[in-house]
Amino acid sequence: MTNPVSTLEIARWDTPLESAAAAAATLELERGSVLFLPRLDFALAASERRFLSPRWLEGTAKNVSYDPRRAHIAHTSATSHDRAQLVEMMARFSQHARALVTNVCPHYQDKMSYGLASFRPVETRGRETSRKKDDTRLHVDTFASRPNQGLRILRVFSNVNPDGAPRVWEIGEPFDAMAQRFARRVPPPTPGSAWLLEKLHITKGRRSPYDHIMLSLHDTAKRDDDYQRASPRTHVEFPAQSTWMVFTDRVMHSALAGQFLLEQTFYLPVPAMLDERYAPLRILENIYQRQLA
Ligand SMILES: O=C(O)CCC(=O)C(=O)O
Ligand SMILES: [Fe+2]
């Protein structure tokens, strides 16, 4: 398998790339590489180090989430001054992530939009969940309650582990191979179900055929023990104080180990890509020979 990771030696969040380098990096991302930025550190202030603990989670939550559009934080136990400081830290990460994507992918600038950010203070290894929710199993990202009609999911991750522990991932086979393998196992949606899910507010908006297929690919791959054991993959370690970017709706990935991660999600319309042929929407439309969103 070709190397799924492509490395870029930038050390600042806010420096634009030369336009040829930016186009090359953007195309690498679109073709399914993880763009690894080993020298790009999201530095925490001394006063922010105390947030590196699961105790700031609320109840059984696994992540603190932050919505940069509303400056709203959720799933945290932090109150008053702590809460304001945690918001500040996450808002700064969101802004840095946006500056980074704008500099590496200037072509996307006016077309991409913010999704949620998350802070993940729980050790990933050995965390108990159902197979469907288990991100230590290879999958592509798709959000069951947020249908997106083919919008690309581009995510920026920073490992902020203070003890030098890497974030350990596996990168799976190319999207096309995975989709060909599982396409026959995608059941047709139950008639009326997309309407009903929206009506009952289980989904935010209407689930398109694209969303249905992506969810089914996600669940089918995760439930398939043979696939999880034996499919091709590359082991990747993202060191502490490094950053990486990846279209997680295209790149099969799993997170095996690591603690203390910041993540920001962006959405990008398919026509804003340099080459739409690499969009899961277009690949699936080719396989199914019909329009899916
Ligand atoms: O927590 C991680 O390292 C990544 C988990 C994952 O699969 C994701 O965020 O999409
Ligand atoms: Fe994922």
Side-chain angles (χ1 to χ4, degrees):
M1 219 163 57
T2 53
N3 190 349
V5 178
S6 146
T7 302
L8 203 58
E9 297 284 346
I10 56 176
R12 295 184 56 97
W13 294 85
D14 58 356
T15 308
L17 294 185
E18 301 278 332
S19 76
T26 303
L27 208 53
E28 290 269 4
L29 279 169
E30 291 188 1
R31 293 166 80 148
S33 283
V34 175
L35 198 59
F36 172 43
L37 311 161
R39 300 204 298 143
L40 196 60
D41 172 26
F42 182 72
L44 301 185
S47 60
E48 289 168 340
R49 303 257 163 83
R50 71 184 194 287
F51 293 127
L52 298 176
S53 157
R55 78 185 173 94
W56 302 99
L57 289 168
E58 180 179 52
T60 57
K62 294 288 179 274
N63 304 331
V64 175
S65 77
Y66 176 72
D67 182 350
R69 289 157 304 188
R70 299 187 297 142
H72 182 261
I73 201 165
H75 312 303
T76 179
S77 61
T79 56
S80 60
H81 177 64
D82 293 328
R83 195 178 180 95
Q85 265 209 324
L86 191 53
V87 164
E88 208 177 283
M89 180 182 97
M90 295 199 67
R92 193 172 78 251
F93 181 72
S94 292
Q95 287 151 14
H96 278 44
R98 180 155 203 137
L100 175 68
V101 178
T102 303
N103 291 324
V104 174
C105 311
H107 192 78
Y108 298 164
Q109 180 161 15
D110 304 317
K111 294 156 196 153
M112 65 178 193
S113 55
Y114 266 134
L116 298 180
S118 61
F119 171 50
R120 308 178 180 186
V122 179
E123 170 59 53
T124 296
R125 192 198 301 268
R127 221 172 69 175
E128 293 240 335
T129 43
S130 67
R131 277 195 294 185
K132 239 170 82 168
K133 286 191 185 156
D134 185 356
D135 283 344
T136 69
R137 292 175 159 253
L138 287 163
H139 65 282
V140 284
D141 287 349
T142 170
F143 304 122
S145 60
R146 289 168 191 269
N148 77 15
Q149 336 288 333
L151 279 184
R152 303 303 314 277
I153 301 172
L154 178 60
R155 301 178 110 177
V156 175
F157 298 90
S158 276
N159 182 352
V160 293
N161 188 287
D163 309 313
R167 194 97 184 162
V168 182
W169 277 26
E170 287 178 330
I171 307 294
E173 65 182 340
F175 185 88
D176 314 53
M178 181 278 295
Q180 292 285 357
R181 186 194 294 270
F182 292 119
R184 274 174 295 114
R185 283 157 65 179
V186 172
T190 312
S193 64
W195 173 84
L196 190 64
L197 290 167
E198 183 182 22
K199 187 96 183 146
L200 297 175
H201 302 290
I202 295 170
T203 60
K204 252 186 167 170
R206 187 72 57 94
R207 198 177 269 180
S208 64
Y210 171 79
D211 294 296
H212 170 78
I213 294 166
M214 288 293 281
L215 258 182
S216 175
L217 292 174
H218 171 274
D219 295 355
T220 308
K222 274 191 177 174
R223 283 198 194 107
D224 187 329
D225 291 332
D226 291 332
Y227 182 77
Q228 292 296 330
R229 190 174 51 246
S231 66
R233 73 205 54 204
T234 307
H235 183 95
V236 182
E237 301 204 355
F238 301 104
Q241 283 72 63
S242 74
T243 295
W244 59 105
M245 297 167 63
V246 52
F247 278 108
T248 55
D249 56 350
R250 173 176 168 99
V251 176
M252 290 291 282
H253 61 284
S254 62
L256 299 186
Q259 188 178 14
F260 306 121
L261 183 75
L262 282 159
E263 171 270 327
Q264 173 68 55
T265 298
F266 296 95
Y267 294 108
L268 185 78
V270 170
M273 295 173 64
L274 289 178
D275 193 336
E276 291 188 27
R277 286 175 304 172
Y278 297 116
L281 176 64
R282 298 291 176 245
I283 294 166
L284 293 172
E285 286 181 336
N286 256 325
I287 294 176
Y288 289 88
Q289 288 296 306
R290 62 188 179 98
Q291 199 181 331
L292 296 174

